[in-house]
Amino acid sequence: MFRGAVHLCAGRGHLGRRLSTLRGGSALGKVEGTGGHHGSGVPPVSSCVTFRTWDPGRAGQTVGQLGEGGWAGKVSEIKKTLQSVLPGGAWNSLYDTSHLPPEQSDVVIVGGGVLGLSVAYWLKRLEKQRGAIRVLVVEQDHTYSQASTGLSVGGIRQQFSLPENIQLSLFSVNFLRNINDYLAVVDDPPLDLQFNPSGYLLLASEEGAAILESNVKVQRQEGAKVCLMSPEQLRNKFPWINTEGVALASYGLEGEGWFDPWCLLQGLRRKVQAMGVHFCHGEVTRFVSSSNRMETTSGEEITLKRIHEVHVKMDHSVEYQPVECAIVINAAGAWSGRVAELAGIGKGPPGTLQGTKLPVEPRKRYVYVWHCPQGPGLESPLVADTSGVYFRRDGLGNNYLGGCSPTEEEEPDPENLEVDHDFFQNKVWPRLAWRIPAFESLKVRSAWAGYYDYNTFDQNGVVGPHPLVANMYFATGFSGHGLQQAPAVGRAVAEMVLEGRFQTINLNAFLFSRFFLGEKVQEHNIF
């Protein structure tokens, strides 16, 4: 019913058309004609200000008065007067505002992980004129201690079932291979992602063999270098694998493996700062928006919204800073669903476009690190078993890391990042030892937990604009493969913001409108 309206609303113009809210208008934080501070909540006072200072050396008072008008110019007069009677040299501000975000920004990106930073990078790289777009990145966890990026196992593969995911990863692996062509900063050392191109090895049972073979056909059509292996070929190449129950395997020959996710995060952050992107450590707590009502061709009434202002609460403080903006990018990862709710997304009647939520929530996943002297050698790829467990090597000292996604019934509480060690003993280790007999004698060294930005609808990313909140764009919901696809997703979002359409890779299948229309784009290779 709303299909036409959905696609009509999803069509966007260029960023330049949206900057009228910022260009030539008055700035936030101005002193109004009545003396009030716009947006501060402070009651208006007289615009005529009298000040007195006492100078013991001069044995008298200095009295000054600022009348109507020219407030900005009079501030310097106050400073000069105070400086002339106070000890010390240069004027120092009585209140440091360096930790506050700017009062205006063309684009506010909520989330400073690799996806948010990638969007920032491509916005600046693709801008028509240097410095034309002001970008602010807001990140609540400035240590990245709970960020999905740093807690990832750092894998990259092309072995997906959807052409869009394959194309995203092909673009991203090229980006990673040439990382210093993209992210080099003058006078800074080059980045070393420690990319290990050992590939992925996906095992399939008799039941899953046909799907695996079909997936490989799609992967090859998109340009991925993947081969199929029989159980006998598996035993010959990887003699440490027990092939019982394995009917077929697919092996990535090129462009697959793992890398250092922390290095990519820091490299992107360093580069975008050099490009002029602003950073703020704080939490987005509110969106101020305007709305307009319209009717669809079927006579249904819908409400279009546009965000004008983002409220950023400072870290460890009760203060907040309003930031006037033209575009908001929701790249908040596991918490992007909450950010969408702040913008009113999903707050309408059930079954309507306005009532359709962003179906992204935090899902906790465990990663275990173990040592096994007799384990697979340096040629070992990242192995994904028929049972759902996976592992890869971790360095050169016979250390390995891996885990397994729980069933829906086993989903752990995402309120904290505590590790369930019994999950390894009961669910992961038995399956590992069955497939890799050497792992029978492994010893767990450490473990951690991280978050998936889990899309409960179809486990695929959400990219592009919201159909009703006109200037909120998404880069979220990748359900565990956001890190590896971040370079390509960042470019896709930047293209949509700047040009109004996807150009490099067509990601229309990943638009928000599919949730309302019920059009799943199911990715089968999620683990």
PDB file of all heavy atoms in Angstrom, residues 357-375:
ATOM      1  N   LYS A 357      10.032  -0.431  13.476  1.00  0.00           N
ATOM      2  CA  LYS A 357      11.260  -0.182  14.239  1.00  0.00           C
ATOM      3  C   LYS A 357      12.492  -0.569  13.426  1.00  0.00           C
ATOM      4  O   LYS A 357      12.414  -1.348  12.469  1.00  0.00           O
ATOM      5  CB  LYS A 357      11.249  -0.992  15.535  1.00  0.00           C
ATOM      6  CG  LYS A 357      10.155  -0.615  16.522  1.00  0.00           C
ATOM      7  CD  LYS A 357      10.229  -1.479  17.759  1.00  0.00           C
ATOM      8  CE  LYS A 357       9.148  -1.118  18.768  1.00  0.00           C
ATOM      9  NZ  LYS A 357       9.383   0.227  19.349  1.00  0.00           N
ATOM     10  N   LEU A 358      13.632  -0.025  13.833  1.00  0.00           N
ATOM     11  CA  LEU A 358      14.911  -0.520  13.321  1.00  0.00           C
ATOM     12  C   LEU A 358      15.226  -1.792  14.104  1.00  0.00           C
ATOM     13  O   LEU A 358      15.483  -1.735  15.313  1.00  0.00           O
ATOM     14  CB  LEU A 358      16.010   0.519  13.532  1.00  0.00           C
ATOM     15  CG  LEU A 358      17.424   0.079  13.129  1.00  0.00           C
ATOM     16  CD1 LEU A 358      17.529  -0.118  11.623  1.00  0.00           C
ATOM     17  CD2 LEU A 358      18.459   1.110  13.599  1.00  0.00           C
ATOM     18  N   PRO A 359      15.195  -2.969  13.475  1.00  0.00           N
ATOM     19  CA  PRO A 359      15.302  -4.231  14.215  1.00  0.00           C
ATOM     20  C   PRO A 359      16.750  -4.631  14.522  1.00  0.00           C
ATOM     21  O   PRO A 359      17.192  -5.742  14.200  1.00  0.00           O
ATOM     22  CB  PRO A 359      14.645  -5.226  13.261  1.00  0.00           C
ATOM     23  CG  PRO A 359      14.983  -4.699  11.905  1.00  0.00           C
ATOM     24  CD  PRO A 359      14.963  -3.192  12.026  1.00  0.00           C
ATOM     25  N   VAL A 360      17.486  -3.737  15.140  1.00  0.00           N
ATOM     26  CA  VAL A 360      18.886  -3.995  15.471  1.00  0.00           C
ATOM     27  C   VAL A 360      19.050  -3.933  16.985  1.00  0.00           C
ATOM     28  O   VAL A 360      18.636  -2.964  17.622  1.00  0.00           O
ATOM     29  CB  VAL A 360      19.823  -2.972  14.796  1.00  0.00           C
ATOM     30  CG1 VAL A 360      21.270  -3.217  15.210  1.00  0.00           C
ATOM     31  CG2 VAL A 360      19.698  -3.055  13.274  1.00  0.00           C
ATOM     32  N   GLU A 361      19.644  -4.962  17.548  1.00  0.00           N
ATOM     33  CA  GLU A 361      19.829  -5.047  18.985  1.00  0.00           C
ATOM     34  C   GLU A 361      21.185  -5.660  19.306  1.00  0.00           C
ATOM     35  O   GLU A 361      21.795  -6.322  18.459  1.00  0.00           O
ATOM     36  CB  GLU A 361      18.720  -5.898  19.611  1.00  0.00           C
ATOM     37  CG  GLU A 361      18.717  -7.344  19.142  1.00  0.00           C
ATOM     38  CD  GLU A 361      17.540  -8.142  19.695  1.00  0.00           C
ATOM     39  OE1 GLU A 361      16.463  -7.553  19.882  1.00  0.00           O
ATOM     40  OE2 GLU A 361      17.718  -9.355  19.937  1.00  0.00           O
ATOM     41  N   PRO A 362      21.700  -5.450  20.530  1.00  0.00           N
ATOM     42  CA  PRO A 362      22.980  -6.063  20.898  1.00  0.00           C
ATOM     43  C   PRO A 362      22.832  -7.552  21.162  1.00  0.00           C
ATOM     44  O   PRO A 362      21.911  -7.980  21.850  1.00  0.00           O
ATOM     45  CB  PRO A 362      23.373  -5.303  22.177  1.00  0.00           C
ATOM     46  CG  PRO A 362      22.094  -4.769  22.730  1.00  0.00           C
ATOM     47  CD  PRO A 362      21.192  -4.530  21.564  1.00  0.00           C
ATOM     48  N   ARG A 363      23.718  -8.332  20.584  1.00  0.00           N
ATOM     49  CA  ARG A 363      23.815  -9.758  20.885  1.00  0.00           C
ATOM     50  C   ARG A 363      25.256 -10.035  21.327  1.00  0.00           C
ATOM     51  O   ARG A 363      26.206  -9.678  20.623  1.00  0.00           O
ATOM     52  CB  ARG A 363      23.469 -10.601  19.649  1.00  0.00           C
ATOM     53  CG  ARG A 363      22.010 -10.515  19.202  1.00  0.00           C
ATOM     54  CD  ARG A 363      21.098 -11.346  20.083  1.00  0.00           C
ATOM     55  NE  ARG A 363      19.696 -11.284  19.661  1.00  0.00           N
ATOM     56  CZ  ARG A 363      19.111 -12.200  18.883  1.00  0.00           C
ATOM     57  NH1 ARG A 363      19.818 -13.217  18.410  1.00  0.00           N
ATOM     58  NH2 ARG A 363      17.831 -12.091  18.569  1.00  0.00           N
ATOM     59  N   LYS A 364      25.384 -10.672  22.454  1.00  0.00           N
ATOM     60  CA  LYS A 364      26.715 -10.932  23.014  1.00  0.00           C
ATOM     61  C   LYS A 364      27.304 -12.219  22.435  1.00  0.00           C
ATOM     62  O   LYS A 364      26.619 -13.230  22.343  1.00  0.00           O
ATOM     63  CB  LYS A 364      26.630 -11.030  24.543  1.00  0.00           C
ATOM     64  CG  LYS A 364      27.978 -11.177  25.215  1.00  0.00           C
ATOM     65  CD  LYS A 364      27.917 -10.860  26.706  1.00  0.00           C
ATOM     66  CE  LYS A 364      27.147 -11.879  27.499  1.00  0.00           C
ATOM     67  NZ  LYS A 364      27.268 -11.634  28.965  1.00  0.00           N
ATOM     68  N   ARG A 365      28.571 -12.140  22.051  1.00  0.00           N
ATOM     69  CA  ARG A 365      29.271 -13.292  21.507  1.00  0.00           C
ATOM     70  C   ARG A 365      30.605 -13.468  22.243  1.00  0.00           C
ATOM     71  O   ARG A 365      31.306 -12.500  22.524  1.00  0.00           O
ATOM     72  CB  ARG A 365      29.533 -13.119  20.001  1.00  0.00           C
ATOM     73  CG  ARG A 365      28.267 -13.079  19.161  1.00  0.00           C
ATOM     74  CD  ARG A 365      27.560 -14.420  19.172  1.00  0.00           C
ATOM     75  NE  ARG A 365      26.328 -14.423  18.375  1.00  0.00           N
ATOM     76  CZ  ARG A 365      25.111 -14.242  18.866  1.00  0.00           C
ATOM     77  NH1 ARG A 365      24.962 -14.010  20.171  1.00  0.00           N
ATOM     78  NH2 ARG A 365      24.050 -14.290  18.098  1.00  0.00           N
ATOM     79  N   TYR A 366      30.936 -14.735  22.532  1.00  0.00           N
ATOM     80  CA  TYR A 366      32.161 -15.049  23.252  1.00  0.00           C
ATOM     81  C   TYR A 366      33.267 -15.441  22.284  1.00  0.00           C
ATOM     82  O   TYR A 366      33.030 -16.116  21.282  1.00  0.00           O
ATOM     83  CB  TYR A 366      31.942 -16.209  24.225  1.00  0.00           C
ATOM     84  CG  TYR A 366      30.790 -16.025  25.177  1.00  0.00           C
ATOM     85  CD1 TYR A 366      29.719 -16.937  25.188  1.00  0.00           C
ATOM     86  CD2 TYR A 366      30.750 -14.957  26.059  1.00  0.00           C
ATOM     87  CE1 TYR A 366      28.660 -16.787  26.064  1.00  0.00           C
ATOM     88  CE2 TYR A 366      29.690 -14.786  26.936  1.00  0.00           C
ATOM     89  CZ  TYR A 366      28.645 -15.704  26.934  1.00  0.00           C
ATOM     90  OH  TYR A 366      27.595 -15.535  27.807  1.00  0.00           O
ATOM     91  N   VAL A 367      34.486 -15.026  22.603  1.00  0.00           N
ATOM     92  CA  VAL A 367      35.672 -15.455  21.863  1.00  0.00           C
ATOM     93  C   VAL A 367      36.651 -16.050  22.877  1.00  0.00           C
ATOM     94  O   VAL A 367      36.988 -15.400  23.876  1.00  0.00           O
ATOM     95  CB  VAL A 367      36.346 -14.284  21.117  1.00  0.00           C
ATOM     96  CG1 VAL A 367      37.591 -14.783  20.368  1.00  0.00           C
ATOM     97  CG2 VAL A 367      35.370 -13.631  20.150  1.00  0.00           C
ATOM     98  N   TYR A 368      37.080 -17.271  22.616  1.00  0.00           N
ATOM     99  CA  TYR A 368      37.983 -17.977  23.524  1.00  0.00           C
ATOM    100  C   TYR A 368      39.345 -18.137  22.868  1.00  0.00           C
ATOM    101  O   TYR A 368      39.441 -18.355  21.658  1.00  0.00           O
ATOM    102  CB  TYR A 368      37.412 -19.349  23.878  1.00  0.00           C
ATOM    103  CG  TYR A 368      36.023 -19.286  24.483  1.00  0.00           C
ATOM    104  CD1 TYR A 368      34.889 -19.383  23.667  1.00  0.00           C
ATOM    105  CD2 TYR A 368      35.837 -19.121  25.851  1.00  0.00           C
ATOM    106  CE1 TYR A 368      33.611 -19.332  24.202  1.00  0.00           C
ATOM    107  CE2 TYR A 368      34.557 -19.062  26.404  1.00  0.00           C
ATOM    108  CZ  TYR A 368      33.452 -19.167  25.569  1.00  0.00           C
ATOM    109  OH  TYR A 368      32.190 -19.100  26.094  1.00  0.00           O
ATOM    110  N   VAL A 369      40.386 -18.044  23.675  1.00  0.00           N
ATOM    111  CA  VAL A 369      41.763 -18.207  23.191  1.00  0.00           C
ATOM    112  C   VAL A 369      42.360 -19.419  23.897  1.00  0.00           C
ATOM    113  O   VAL A 369      42.293 -19.522  25.130  1.00  0.00           O
ATOM    114  CB  VAL A 369      42.609 -16.955  23.480  1.00  0.00           C
ATOM    115  CG1 VAL A 369      44.043 -17.150  22.969  1.00  0.00           C
ATOM    116  CG2 VAL A 369      41.984 -15.722  22.851  1.00  0.00           C
ATOM    117  N   TRP A 370      42.932 -20.327  23.116  1.00  0.00           N
ATOM    118  CA  TRP A 370      43.511 -21.529  23.716  1.00  0.00           C
ATOM    119  C   TRP A 370      44.857 -21.861  23.083  1.00  0.00           C
ATOM    120  O   TRP A 370      45.213 -21.360  22.016  1.00  0.00           O
ATOM    121  CB  TRP A 370      42.555 -22.714  23.587  1.00  0.00           C
ATOM    122  CG  TRP A 370      42.225 -23.145  22.191  1.00  0.00           C
ATOM    123  CD1 TRP A 370      42.900 -24.020  21.398  1.00  0.00           C
ATOM    124  CD2 TRP A 370      41.091 -22.714  21.406  1.00  0.00           C
ATOM    125  NE1 TRP A 370      42.287 -24.174  20.186  1.00  0.00           N
ATOM    126  CE2 TRP A 370      41.168 -23.398  20.172  1.00  0.00           C
ATOM    127  CE3 TRP A 370      40.028 -21.843  21.643  1.00  0.00           C
ATOM    128  CZ2 TRP A 370      40.223 -23.199  19.161  1.00  0.00           C
ATOM    129  CZ3 TRP A 370      39.082 -21.667  20.641  1.00  0.00           C
ATOM    130  CH2 TRP A 370      39.173 -22.338  19.427  1.00  0.00           C
ATOM    131  N   HIS A 371      45.589 -22.713  23.790  1.00  0.00           N
ATOM    132  CA  HIS A 371      46.905 -23.165  23.336  1.00  0.00           C
ATOM    133  C   HIS A 371      46.839 -24.671  23.091  1.00  0.00           C
ATOM    134  O   HIS A 371      46.247 -25.415  23.884  1.00  0.00           O
ATOM    135  CB  HIS A 371      47.969 -22.866  24.398  1.00  0.00           C
ATOM    136  CG  HIS A 371      49.343 -23.319  24.022  1.00  0.00           C
ATOM    137  ND1 HIS A 371      50.099 -22.710  23.035  1.00  0.00           N
ATOM    138  CD2 HIS A 371      50.106 -24.340  24.499  1.00  0.00           C
ATOM    139  CE1 HIS A 371      51.253 -23.312  22.930  1.00  0.00           C
ATOM    140  NE2 HIS A 371      51.297 -24.302  23.796  1.00  0.00           N
ATOM    141  N   CYS A 372      47.464 -25.104  22.000  1.00  0.00           N
ATOM    142  CA  CYS A 372      47.486 -26.530  21.676  1.00  0.00           C
ATOM    143  C   CYS A 372      48.750 -26.831  20.874  1.00  0.00           C
ATOM    144  O   CYS A 372      48.822 -26.532  19.672  1.00  0.00           O
ATOM    145  CB  CYS A 372      46.248 -26.923  20.872  1.00  0.00           C
ATOM    146  SG  CYS A 372      46.148 -28.695  20.505  1.00  0.00           S
ATOM    147  N   PRO A 373      49.789 -27.388  21.520  1.00  0.00           N
ATOM    148  CA  PRO A 373      51.077 -27.618  20.837  1.00  0.00           C
ATOM    149  C   PRO A 373      50.969 -28.474  19.584  1.00  0.00           C
ATOM    150  O   PRO A 373      51.740 -28.303  18.639  1.00  0.00           O
ATOM    151  CB  PRO A 373      51.923 -28.314  21.913  1.00  0.00           C
ATOM    152  CG  PRO A 373      51.301 -27.908  23.212  1.00  0.00           C
ATOM    153  CD  PRO A 373      49.839 -27.796  22.932  1.00  0.00           C
ATOM    154  N   GLN A 374      50.027 -29.408  19.538  1.00  0.00           N
ATOM    155  CA  GLN A 374      49.890 -30.309  18.390  1.00  0.00           C
ATOM    156  C   GLN A 374      48.787 -29.868  17.425  1.00  0.00           C
ATOM    157  O   GLN A 374      48.354 -30.646  16.583  1.00  0.00           O
ATOM    158  CB  GLN A 374      49.596 -31.731  18.897  1.00  0.00           C
ATOM    159  CG  GLN A 374      50.608 -32.267  19.886  1.00  0.00           C
ATOM    160  CD  GLN A 374      52.020 -32.223  19.343  1.00  0.00           C
ATOM    161  OE1 GLN A 374      52.258 -32.562  18.177  1.00  0.00           O
ATOM    162  NE2 GLN A 374      52.976 -31.826  20.180  1.00  0.00           N
ATOM    163  N   GLY A 375      48.350 -28.612  17.551  1.00  0.00           N
ATOM    164  CA  GLY A 375      47.254 -28.127  16.716  1.00  0.00           C
ATOM    165  C   GLY A 375      47.664 -27.875  15.275  1.00  0.00           C
ATOM    166  O   GLY A 375      48.842 -28.049  14.902  1.00  0.00           O
TER     167      GLY A 375
END
